[in-house]
Amino acid sequence: MILVTGGAGFIGSNFVLDWVSQSDEAVINLDKLTYAGNMHNLSSLIDNPKHIFVEGDIADATLVSQLLYRYQPRAVIHLAAESHVDRSIHGPADFIQTNIVGTFHLLEAVRCYWQDSSAVSRQDFRFLHVSTDEVYGSLLPHAPAFTEWHRYEPNSPYSASKAASDHLVRAYHHTYGLPVLTTNCSNNYGPYQFPEKLIPLMIVNALAQKPLPVYGDGQQIRDWLYVTDHCRAIRRVLDAGVPGETYNIGGWNEKTNLEIVQTVCTLLEELYPGSNYQRLVTFVKDRPGHDRRYAIDATRMENELGWRPVETFATGIKKTIQWYLNHQAWVNEVQTGTYREWIERNYAGRRP
């Protein structure tokens, strides 16, 4: 059995669904069900005995300890996090509380559990911490991609909070011997992504004939990783990663934000014809401290663990758009009043 934190969110729900379909092991899914957590993502697992859902906070050390001792998982996959840069600019406190304080309380509960040899095999146990490439800061246009040994230079409250959590995880390995694994991934995309992030926001707005807001000149570069490939990589690191080590997971797909938006428009015109979506592209004021380029060098994952992404960007983005077209009821449901208030708050002052 394994325990997953944040298993009702975007990456978390994809990981849980993938795990249940690929493994005979059960999964305990601990999620606070904030705005980005959605139980409808997991509707196919209702009454599935391999999925045990618990609503709760990773900062609740008593609850986490109870779950650990009751179910005795062999691993914890830590995915729970506040993860949107724009939200961290408007309200950094939630990011400090969840990503730093929450990770600390989770680590403490896991450490006590792991040190009790009667509860778990200390040698076989793993704590896998899922982090982001944003902790490395911004790259110059022609600089080499981020490797696992790149210096940390976070530039937003979000990336700073994730960098702090990475350091806590590292410290618990070197101080207490906790067998940890850390992964730093590039931008994920795919099914079930909350429509505040770039790709689903563009799809949702285009279908609603709303402006497609592009920050600044749209030339910010990101590496894009299809979420199912990321799930495969996490499983591989859990199976074969060396405790104490970090593994960078990327899609080998560097694209500018403007390229992404234009690709979404082109594919929508093919898959959902009837409108010229390109006319909706609207350049808006850039966000503060916007990193210019991220790029992941995933060579270590390939050379040491034998993992490479299966999806190209061309195949992954088409699958993603088709999923949103097929699941418009899901989109309508997550677009609550709170979501609409957030979109208005973030983009109102950026309009040209």
Side-chain angles (χ1 to χ4, degrees), residues 49-64:
K50 291 197 296 182
H51 179 238
I52 302 163
F53 179 78
V54 178
E55 183 176 353
D57 192 339
I58 57 172
D60 185 344
T62 300
L63 172 62
V64 174

Side-chain angles (χ1 to χ4, degrees), residues 6 24 29 47 53 61 70 76 121 140 180 186 190 202 206 211 243 246 294 305 329 333 352:
D24 291 332
N29 181 354
D47 299 325
F53 179 78
R70 177 180 177 183
V76 172
S121 170
L140 293 173
V180 306
S186 57
M202 295 303 110
T246 295
Y294 306 142
L305 301 185
E333 187 159 319

Side-chain angles (χ1 to χ4, degrees), residues 254-311:
E254 287 190 57
K255 306 284 183 185
T256 67
N257 286 349
L258 185 57
E259 282 182 89
I260 297 297
V261 175
Q262 291 171 335
T263 299
V264 169
C265 291
T266 299
L267 284 172
L268 276 175
E269 288 165 8
E270 172 191 331
L271 298 171
Y272 199 78
S275 179
N276 175 13
Y277 299 105
Q278 301 280 353
R279 66 179 173 78
L280 299 172
V281 174
T282 305
F283 292 92
V284 300
K285 182 181 177 182
D286 208 351
R287 72 183 178 204
H290 199 174
D291 290 334
R292 197 65 174 170
R293 174 178 170 238
Y294 306 142
I296 281 285
D297 182 339
T299 301
R300 187 180 197 189
M301 281 293 298
E302 181 172 4
N303 290 349
E304 297 185 16
L305 301 185
W307 173 91
R308 273 190 69 87
V310 171
E311 301 292 343

Side-chain angles (χ1 to χ4, degrees), residues 8-10 13-14 35-43 190-196 200-201 204 323-336:
F10 165 47
S13 60
N14 275 281
Y35 73 95
N38 189 343
M39 285 304 294
H40 289 284
N41 298 3
L42 303 164
S43 59
Y192 300 112
Q193 189 168 30
F194 193 74
E196 66 185 358
L201 179 64
V204 169
W323 187 90
Y324 279 90
L325 290 173
N326 294 343
H327 294 82
Q328 293 189 50
W330 179 91
V331 173
N332 292 335
E333 187 159 319
V334 300
Q335 289 181 295
T336 62

Side-chain angles (χ1 to χ4, degrees), residues 192-261:
Y192 300 112
Q193 189 168 30
F194 193 74
E196 66 185 358
K197 299 295 181 77
L198 178 63
I199 288 176
L201 179 64
M202 295 303 110
I203 298 170
V204 169
N205 276 17
L207 292 175
Q209 295 294 302
K210 293 180 178 179
L212 308 182
V214 176
Y215 286 151
D217 61 4
Q219 296 305 304
Q220 303 86 0
I221 296 172
R222 300 292 183 264
D223 173 36
W224 293 90
L225 174 67
Y226 191 65
V227 66
T228 304
D229 279 326
H230 187 196
C231 295
R232 288 178 46 250
I234 293 171
R235 291 205 319 270
R236 184 60 186 150
V237 172
L238 180 63
D239 289 343
V242 176
E245 295 297 323
T246 295
Y247 298 90
N248 281 356
I249 304 170
W252 301 105
N253 289 307
E254 287 190 57
K255 306 284 183 185
T256 67
N257 286 349
L258 185 57
E259 282 182 89
I260 297 297
V261 175

